[in-house]
Amino acid sequence: MQKNSMAIILIILGLIVLAVPMLGLVPLSVLTGLGVAFLGMGLILAGLGDRKVSSGLGLLEIILGIIALVLGLGFILNPGLFSFVAGLLVYMAGLFLIIVGIVAVFTKAGGNRWNGVVAIIIGLIYLIFGYIISDPVWLGVLIGLWLLLTGILMFFQKD
């Protein structure tokens, strides 16, 4: 019975987030921002401690900590930044897949050019999703769909 209750809650949450997509994005952005900000603070503190052992490593940790702290605060204060970074990462993955696919097509990597064609097609799909994800509203819609589908699948799953 508890599983069905959780499934119904997920379905309701999914419908709410689909109706107002930013409701799904803001908590995800804030939670990610908190995690990245804490990571940044930890890196800064570790860098201050490691300066005595290795000034280069300590300085690197401090710089990475500052970047993580600024990025984490940016995620907390501006959910659109979270969407932009997520979309950017998906774009990069798509570009890498397209480049690998082109190389595979021209070099017959693995003895089969179709592997390269498939990589190019998947890379193009990644680029399309990167465009969709970099818009906060669409990222919220994707989160809402995930909640809804998870709830539906959980509801019909056998114990």
Side-chain angles (χ1 to χ4, degrees), residues 8-158:
I8 291 171
I9 291 171
L10 286 173
I11 291 170
I12 292 170
L13 285 174
L15 292 173
I16 291 171
V17 172
L18 283 172
V20 186
M22 291 303 285
L23 284 178
L25 179 64
V26 172
L28 184 63
S29 179
V30 169
L31 290 174
T32 303
L34 283 172
V36 173
F38 285 139
L39 171 70
M41 288 186 278
L43 283 170
I44 291 170
L45 293 174
L48 291 173
D50 287 345
R51 274 192 1 219
K52 295 175 182 131
V53 176
S54 169
S55 61
L57 178 62
L59 181 62
L60 180 63
E61 285 178 323
I62 291 171
I63 291 171
L64 288 175
I66 291 170
I67 292 170
L69 186 60
V70 168
L71 195 60
L73 291 175
F75 287 167
I76 293 169
L77 300 174
N78 183 6
L81 177 64
F82 178 75
S83 296
F84 171 76
V85 171
L88 183 65
L89 293 174
V90 174
Y91 269 128
M92 288 173 43
L95 287 174
F96 289 160
L97 278 170
I98 290 171
I99 291 168
V100 166
I102 291 170
V103 169
V105 165
F106 288 113
T107 61
K108 296 183 188 176
N112 188 353
R113 287 188 178 177
W114 286 108
N115 292 340
V117 172
V118 169
I120 292 170
I121 291 170
I122 293 173
L124 291 172
I125 291 170
Y126 262 66
L127 289 179
I128 292 168
F129 274 106
Y131 175 75
I132 290 172
I133 289 176
S134 53
D135 182 2
V137 173
W138 283 108
L139 185 57
V141 167
L142 290 174
I143 292 168
L145 284 173
W146 172 73
L147 287 169
L148 182 65
L149 291 174
T150 302
I152 291 170
L153 291 173
M154 184 184 290
F155 190 75
F156 291 110
Q157 183 181 27
K158 297 199 190 281

